[in-house]
């Protein structure tokens, strides 16, 4: 099985490992202290409890200092006191480091938001513009943006076309084309027009532009606890309460046995037992998960969306661009009986010479490669190119000698039966319907048969007619992306169903679906059909993810549990989705799901580890605590820790150090493999469950040896 | 440990396992309101009950309605039972002319029987009249058991239903449990017990002259009828003080065997009901596996420890090894009729299930032998457990286990297609919290205040174990006792009564909230990405979570009680 780590093409955006980057570490240290503020601490119940007992310990230590306790006990109390606060600082540090990367990114983004001056069109005065501050723009204002200008705010182009440098947002330096009308009309504030000019209708209110939201998101300013985080916090608070009972009753039990246990020791036991490891790292895990998406150039509008990504049951994937390469390619010329392949290829090549679509170019290439037909100059032929239109669903060429059309089979058939099929028909009024006689029923049947055959094998048939005569079909083939089949296999193992969405007819769709290895397909998909499919899946309790860019995708994007809008898409689509892919790469949906899963897995792994740790801590502290009045309990000291003091200290030091040791794991996330749940569970239970039981036994013993050696206890 | 002993334990395991499917199938049909082979006779009775009581059979309740009905029923039962005890002197069927039961004892006993605990601070044959035993105690043996089963079925419905607001009708579930499950078994097995030699009469006690010419009063009563429901309903309250060690309550090896099978039968069968209702019997078997493994570990520990005997006897002329005429090992507090294997088995079974009947004095077990029943109860009475309460307790632990580890497969945790979210985690934790709160809290009070200390028969760790065991038993609604404790004092009666009440109802309310919340959820279809909860991996995980979250909490207390006593004993120090 492939053990690819997550993003296979991570951009350089903040790519440095933050753990070793002084620019992040140094401010994080300062933040660790600032975060000790109880008003911030209270957001994290487990660590807040630690803070309370740390304050209590501080008071006790001061009291001991004043009353003059013996030196040994003062030294012990001091060390417990010290490590309690260290535990708190380590927890804060983990969170601060996780936030650090986002803060650095936010600073970069802020530069793009620097005060821009906009050229606002003065209403009712033609093209006259006035200079206003970008922050004064209201939705509905029209502004003109010219070469070199920063686009002042989010909006839709109403006039013009321009190449725009969006690197400030996407990190991608290659400029993109934005033009009025269609699905490429949205522009983002903070990006720069490189050439030409555009007139933009502002759509965002000041302070709520895409850039503003992006800054808030990467900075974590609006971070709210996700549903799963809340549930986990409840579990941790519950465990903490259980240990309150377990520890608070000990003095009474000890009193019965004519013994005494000091408050400091009880505090130490309590802090080591409560789940501080996961409590300390929980928010760092969440921030790091969002951050992994950002580095992957995907902006999640909420942490909830990232969690939902991990839960996705059904992936709706657009065929084009995700499953197949963006364009189909001509693979074969299939002439009708009585027509030579050469004849067909010649006509097809001629009809495609000026066709700049990828399909058109591939026809020219095939004609040259297979039949040696060279390119011809349109000018020499005195020809007129007929571009493809959605109405006729045909394209082709009119020369003085002939009329050639290629297009969907039914469109071509309709065309040859019309009057315009021959040069005569095109120009002469009331011409004899001789052209129609050229099409016999046998030819139509033969053409349809070839077309069906192509459709069944997943291709698209393109019929070619010359001068009202059917010549044959071109086999346009969808090229399935390399390795995509294996990825779908991996998704299936993870329990995720893939559904291919395509505008193709069911036959073609079925063939491509089979070749690509998707579980299901939706053919001749309309936005309504897509929405209906999502609702049906959700009614069965499933979570659905999809991506889209057009305005007509917006309802489906909003309905899906994870809706990834392409950055190139319309404003409506970007508003409807709960994630935006800045690279506009629909394939990323798969990685987004993996990042969501990784986030949840990391939380589960560290929770399991944290709880499993308790076994060893009990065995370190219980004998140490009771040995003074029940010496036989020394038998429980299975680690043979040197003294009661060293045992308790070792446990609390281990408890603090393990937080720091696990910060890299919390930020990086646990290793993810696309395999079945049972396999993942077995593996993770072994590592984090069993490991969680064993590691502290070794760790505490080692620390005990060290602190004995350097004379701390 | 002898081959004979192992064979008896193995035989028990086989019989219980064989009962799971038939019990499961039958009870599933009963709770789904389908026809069973007894419907012909019982259906008219059932209808008549609804007609007389005004219960609308088809009207279901949401979790609040269900819980309120249950609480109303329990409180009413509590008041009636208290009244009967206080008034027994003026009521009929009191041939021994016993006095009214003291207020604190009557309170304790009432709580004890309505909570399915059957803790007995009294000596029944010298305290309770025949009427109190029959109309009061035996009645509650039926209905408190039926309440537990009904509640478990309500929780299972929460898992099985999708987008539903209701979880059943408490009155209907109660009625069906008593009518179709408890009564038929009680009648058949009760008659068998009479045949095996248990008394079933209303006679005054018999005065007998012993061989030495001394006088002895031999108690009589409706033993057989109470005996069967005491076991099948995991009640455990004995007709006599000696409970199932008394020859009238447990005449021979066969009745002994049947009694322990009865204790587990419904609890084991309910795992199958659970599996069937959620549409996958393997889910039930996984839960059965967890319970079975924990049970085996307990039984073998007790058997091993007790067979090894007491090191203090090593230099005395006491047969430590088993032989044809000697049981060997530690026979203190055990019936010679049953021996070590069957006593160990009974001890483990009665504390795994919250039965509390005993054929062995747990106080006389060696320290580690006595620790096993304590741990069994501390874990929350989930190893088959009280009828119904064992299943719902175990399912709450399963929810916690799935939540903790389920995240590790990279999905929001799901159990049986239900997403486990904040609400479920909160309620499950609330319920589980109750155990340490009550057990450790009350023990902490009892071992420092004078009235608490006055009840302890022994000093040192053993005395501590007596107090710890009492509150463990009360909170877990088990009812067995470390016999050394003199519990019939206002302090102990009151605190234990509170512990029983807390242990039962503060657990049930959040549990029902979970049921209601689960029922409302959609059912997420399982896929290969779903956390598998019907295999060995889940069984291991659940055991781990139960031991770490449920068990480790009690480690400090256990260290100061049985563990210290054990270590001290091997160091030659006895208490």
């Amino acid at each position: 099985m492939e053990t690819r780590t997550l993003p296979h093409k991570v951009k350089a955006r903040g790519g440095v490992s933050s753990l070793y980057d002084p620019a992040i570490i140094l401010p994080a240290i300062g933040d660790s202290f600032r975060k000790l503020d109880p008003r911030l601490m209270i957001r994290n119940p487990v660590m807040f409890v630690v803070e309370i007992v740390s304050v209590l310990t501080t008071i006790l230590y001061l009291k001991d200092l004043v009353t003059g306790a013996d030196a040994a006990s003062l030294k012990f109390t001091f060390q417990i006191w010290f490590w309690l606060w260290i535990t708190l600082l380590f927890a804060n540090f983990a969170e601060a480091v996780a936030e650090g990367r986002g803060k650095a990114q936010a600073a970069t983004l802020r530069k793009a938001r620097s005060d821009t001056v906009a050229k606002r069109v003065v209403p009712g005065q033609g093209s006259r513009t006035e200079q206003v501050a970008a922050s004064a723009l209201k939705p509905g204002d029209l502004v003109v943006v010219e070469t070199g200008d920063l686009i002042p705010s989010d909006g839709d182009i109403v006039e013009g076309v321009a190449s725009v440098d969006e690197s400030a947002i996407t990190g991608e330096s290659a400029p993109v084309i934005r033009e009025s009308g269609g699905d490429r009309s949205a522009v983002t504030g903070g990006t720069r027009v490189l050439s030409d000019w555009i007139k933009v209708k502002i759509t965002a209110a000041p302070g709520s532009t895409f850039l503003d939201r992006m800054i808030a998101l990467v900075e974590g300013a609006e971070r709210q606890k996700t549903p799963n985080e809340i549930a986990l916090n409840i579990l941790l608070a519950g465990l903490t309460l259980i240990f309150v009972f377990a520890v608070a009753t000990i003095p009474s039990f000890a009193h019965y046995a004519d013994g005494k246990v000091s408050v400091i020791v009880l505090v130490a036991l309590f802090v080591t037992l409560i789940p501080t490891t996961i409590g300390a790292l929980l928010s760092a895990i969440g921030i790091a998960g969002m951050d992994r998406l950002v580095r992957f150039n995907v902006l999640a509008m909420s942490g909830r969306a990232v969690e939902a990504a991990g839960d996705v049951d059904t992936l709706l994937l657009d065929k084009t661009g995700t499953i197949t390469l963006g364009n189909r390619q001509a693979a074969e010329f299939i002439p009708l009986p009585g027509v030579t392949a050469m004849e067909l290829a010649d006509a097809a090549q001629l009809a495609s010479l000026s066709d700049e679509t990828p399909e058109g170019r591939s026809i020219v290439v095939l004609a040259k490669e297979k039949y040696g037909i060279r390119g011809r100059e349109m000018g020499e032929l005195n020809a007129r190119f007929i571009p493809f239109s959605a109405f006729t669903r045909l394209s082709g060429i009119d020369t003085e000698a002939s009329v050639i059309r290629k297009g969907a089979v039914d469109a071509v058939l309709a065309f040859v039966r019309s009057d315009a099929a021959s040069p005569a028909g095109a120009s002469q009024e009331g011409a004899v319907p001789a052209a129609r006689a050229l099409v016999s029923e046998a030819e139509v049947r033969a053409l349809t048969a070839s077309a069906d055959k192509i459709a069944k094998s997943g291709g698209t048939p393109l019929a070619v007619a010359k001068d009202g005569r059917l010549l044959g079909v071109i086999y346009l083939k969808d090229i399935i992306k390399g390795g995509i089949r294996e990825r779908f296999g991996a998704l299936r193992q993870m329990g995720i169903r893939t559904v291919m969405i395509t505008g193709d007819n069911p036959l073609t769709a079925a063939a491509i679906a089979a070749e690509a290895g998707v579980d299901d397909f939706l053919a001749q998909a309309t936005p309504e059909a897509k929405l209906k499919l999502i609702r049906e899946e959700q009614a069965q309790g499933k979570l659905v993810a999809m991506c889209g860019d057009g305005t007509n995708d917006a309802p489906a994007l909003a309905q899906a549990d994870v809706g990834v809008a392409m950055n190139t898409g319309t404003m409506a689509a970007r508003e409807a989705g709960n994630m935006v892919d800045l690279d506009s790469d629909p394939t990323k949906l798969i990685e987004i799901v993996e990042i969501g899963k990784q986030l949840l897995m990391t939380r589960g792994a560290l929770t399991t580890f944290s709880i499993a740790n308790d076994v060893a801590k009990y065995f370190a502290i219980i004998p140490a605590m009771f040995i003074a009045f029940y010496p036989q309990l020394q038998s429980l000291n299975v680690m043979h820790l040197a003294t009661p003091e060293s045992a308790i200290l070792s446990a609390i030091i281990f408890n603090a150090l393990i937080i720091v040791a696990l910060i890299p794991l919390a930020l990086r996330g646990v290793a993810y493999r696309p395999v079945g749940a049972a396999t993942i569970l077995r593996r993770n239970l072994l590592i984090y469950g069993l490991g969680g039981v064993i590691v502290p036994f070794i760790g505490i013993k080692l620390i005990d040896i060290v602190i004995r050696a350097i004379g701390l206890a | 440990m002898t081959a004979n002993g192992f064979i008896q334990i193995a035989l028990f395991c086989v019989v219980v396992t064989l009962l799971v499917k038939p019990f499961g199938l039958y009870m599933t049909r009963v709770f789904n309101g389908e026809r069973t082979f007894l419907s012909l006779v019982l259906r008219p009775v059932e209808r008549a009950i609804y007609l007389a009581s005004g219960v609308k059979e088809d009207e279901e309740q949401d979790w609040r309605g269900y819980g309120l009905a249950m609480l109303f029923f329990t409180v009413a039962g509590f008041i009636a039972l208290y009244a009967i005890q206080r008034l027994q002197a003026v009521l009929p069927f009191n041939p021994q002319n016993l006095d009214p039961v003291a207020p604190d004892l009557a309170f304790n006993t009432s709580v004890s029987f309505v909570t399915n605990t059957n803790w007995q601070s009294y000596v029944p044959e010298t305290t309770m009249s025949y009427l109190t035993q029959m109309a009061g105690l035996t009645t509650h043996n039926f209905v408190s058991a039926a309440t537990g089963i009904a509640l478990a079925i309500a929780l299972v419905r929460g898992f099985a239903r999708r987008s539903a607001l209701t979880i059943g009708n408490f009155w209907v579930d109660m009625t069906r449990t008593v009518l179709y499950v408890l009564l038929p078994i009680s009648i058949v097995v009760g008659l068998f017990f009479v045949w095996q030699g248990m008394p079933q009469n209303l006679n005054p006690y018999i005065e007998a002259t012993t061989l030495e010419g001394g006088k002895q009063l031999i108690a009589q009563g409706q033993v057989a009828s109470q005996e069967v429901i005491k076991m099948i309903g995991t009640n455990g309250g004995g007709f006599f003080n000696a409970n199932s060690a008394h020859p009238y309550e447990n005449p021979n090896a066969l009745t002994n065997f049947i009694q322990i099978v009865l204790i587990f039968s419904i609890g084991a069968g309910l795992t199958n009901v659970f599996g069937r209702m959620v549409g996958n019997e393997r889910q039930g078997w996984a839960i059965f596996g967890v319970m079975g493994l924990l049970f085996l570990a307990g039984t073998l520990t007790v058997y091993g420890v007790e067979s090894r005997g007491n090191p203090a006897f090593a230099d005395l002329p006491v047969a430590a090894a088993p032989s044809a005429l000697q049981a060997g090992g530690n026979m203190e507090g055990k019936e010679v009729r049953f021996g070590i294997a069957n006593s160990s088995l009974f001890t483990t079974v009665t504390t795994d299930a919250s039965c509390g009947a005993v054929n062995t004095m747990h106080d006389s077990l060696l320290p580690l032998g006595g620790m096993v029943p304590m741990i069994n109860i501390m874990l929350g009475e989930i190893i088959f457990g009280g009828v119904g309460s064992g299943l719902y307790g175990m399912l709450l632990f399963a929810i916690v286990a799935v939540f903790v580890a389920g995240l590790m497969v990279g999905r929001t945790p799901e159990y049986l297609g239900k997403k486990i979210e904040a609400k479920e985690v909160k309620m499950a934790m609330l319920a589980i919290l109750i155990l340490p709160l009550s057990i450790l809290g009350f023990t902490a009070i009892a071992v420092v205040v004078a009235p608490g200390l006055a009840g302890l028969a022994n000093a040192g760790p053993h005395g501590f174990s007596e107090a710890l065991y009492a509150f463990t038993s009360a909170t877990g609604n088990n009812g067995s006792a470390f016999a050394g404790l003199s519990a019939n004092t206002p302090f102990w009666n009151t605190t234990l009564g509170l512990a029983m009440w807390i242990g039962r109802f503060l657990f049930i309310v959040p549990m029902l909230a979970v049921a209601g919340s689960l029922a409302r959820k959609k059912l997420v279809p399982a896929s290969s990405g779903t956390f598998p909860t019907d295999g060995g991996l889940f069984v291991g995980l659940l055991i781990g979570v139960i031991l770490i979250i449920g068990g480790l909490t009690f480690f400090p207390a256990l260290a100061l009680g049985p563990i210290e006593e054990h270590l001290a004993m091997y160091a030659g120090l006895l208490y």
Side-chain angles (χ1 to χ4, degrees), chain A residues 410-666:
Chain A
D410 54 338
V412 170
L413 281 178
F415 179 76
V416 295
R417 284 169 178 152
S418 77
D419 296 338
S422 63
S427 49
Q428 293 171 11
E429 287 284 320
V432 278
R436 266 171 254 174
L438 290 173
V439 185
S440 72
E441 278 310 305
E443 280 174 324
V444 172
R445 268 201 304 278
L447 186 82
T448 322
S450 314
D452 282 353
K453 221 171 110 189
I454 292 170
K456 256 181 217 155
S457 61
T460 309
L462 212 56
V464 181
K466 185 179 181 184
D467 301 337
R469 180 173 159 238
L470 291 172
L471 293 182
V473 286
I474 307 168
Y475 181 179
L476 287 181
K477 201 175 173 184
D478 262 310
I479 309 295
I480 308 276
K481 282 189 178 177
I484 199 88
R485 201 185 165 83
E486 288 69 32
R487 299 199 72 184
F488 290 149
L491 284 171
R492 198 167 305 117
Q493 288 225 295
M494 286 152 54
I496 296 173
R497 209 165 71 92
T498 44
V499 180
M500 181 181 83
I501 308 289
T502 171
D504 293 342
N505 65 60
L507 262 148
T508 312
I512 298 173
E515 192 181 343
V518 292
D519 298 305
D520 205 350
F521 62 87
L522 180 66
Q524 286 164 343
T526 58
E528 295 75 39
K530 232 169 164 175
L531 190 61
K532 187 163 157 270
L533 176 67
I534 294 174
R535 290 208 169 118
E536 279 167 9
E537 292 283 318
Q538 287 173 335
Q540 293 172 36
K542 292 178 178 172
L543 263 63
V544 183
M546 67 164 286
C547 52
D549 53 4
T551 300
N552 54 16
D553 281 332
L557 277 173
Q559 180 71 37
D561 300 282
V562 177
V564 183
M566 300 293 110
N567 191 45
T568 52
T570 59
M571 268 304 159
R574 273 160 52 164
E575 295 284 339
N578 48 15
M579 291 191 191
V580 176
D581 176 16
L582 300 173
D583 295 337
S584 307
D585 171 8
T587 325
K588 273 199 198 160
L589 206 46
I590 297 170
E591 276 92 354
I592 291 171
V593 167
E594 292 181 356
I595 289 175
K597 286 197 175 294
Q598 203 188 19
L599 168 73
L600 294 172
M601 280 165 61
T602 309
R603 261 188 215 147
L606 291 181
T607 307
T608 307
F609 185 83
S610 190
I611 293 172
N613 271 199
D614 277 359
V615 180
K617 292 167 182 172
Y618 268 114
F619 277 97
I621 297 187
I622 295 288
M625 196 156 65
F626 297 143
I627 208 164
F629 49 96
Y630 281 152
Q632 294 85 10
L633 287 178
Q634 175 64 25
S635 309
L636 290 181
N637 183 5
V638 290
M639 286 173 270
H640 298 289
L641 304 176
T643 64
E645 288 76 21
S646 76
I648 293 164
L649 264 179
S650 306
I652 201 143
I653 292 174
F654 174 84
N655 196 53
L657 293 184
I658 196 74
I659 295 174
V660 176
L662 290 174
I663 291 177
L665 181 67

Side-chain angles (χ1 to χ4, degrees), chain B residues 386-424:
Chain B
V387 283
S389 62
L391 183 63
Y392 64 63
M394 178 61 91
L395 290 179
L396 289 193
F397 267 107
I399 285 175
V400 172
V402 164
F403 183 77
V404 169
L407 278 174
M408 282 198 293
V409 303
R411 287 176 69 91
T412 299
E414 295 150 2
Y415 186 40
L416 304 164
K418 299 283 187 165
K419 275 198 166 32
I420 304 301
E421 292 165 303
K423 174 97 186 266
E424 291 75 46

Side-chain angles (χ1 to χ4, degrees), chain A residues 228 242 249 252-253 256 310-311 313 492-495 538 540 597 600-601 604-605 618 630 632 677 680-681 684, chain B residues 403 407-408 410-412 426 433 440 444 460 463-464 522-523 525 527-531 552-553 555 560 564 567:
Chain A
N228 176 261
I242 288 182
T249 48
S252 149
F253 298 166
Y256 169 86
D311 282 349
D313 302 282
R492 198 167 305 117
Q493 288 225 295
M494 286 152 54
Q538 287 173 335
Q540 293 172 36
K597 286 197 175 294
L600 294 172
M601 280 165 61
Y618 268 114
Y630 281 152
Q632 294 85 10
I680 297 180
L681 185 66
N684 284 345
Chain B
F403 183 77
L407 278 174
M408 282 198 293
R411 287 176 69 91
T412 299
K426 189 199 293 175
L433 267 177
L440 296 174
F464 182 77
K522 285 182 193 165
L523 209 60
S527 70
S528 60
T530 313
F531 180 94
L552 271 186
T553 320
F555 189 36
L560 293 175
E564 162 60 18
L567 295 169

Side-chain angles (χ1 to χ4, degrees), chain B residues 301-321:
Chain B
T301 308
V302 180
Y303 188 32
V305 170
E306 296 301 311
S307 300
R308 224 170 124 194
N310 190 333
F313 295 165
D315 301 330
L316 300 173
V318 175

Side-chain angles (χ1 to χ4, degrees), chain B residues 115-128:
Chain B
T115 56
N116 195 244
T117 310
N118 299 29
W119 170 272
Q120 292 167 298
S121 285
Y122 55 92
V123 176
E125 50 268 49
T126 59
T127 316
M128 301 296 175

Side-chain angles (χ1 to χ4, degrees), chain A residues 78-92:
Chain A
F78 172 79
Q79 292 187 72
I80 297 287
W81 170 85
F82 176 79
W83 284 106
L84 283 180
W85 286 102
I86 288 291
T87 308
L88 277 172
L89 290 173
F90 282 173
N92 290 344

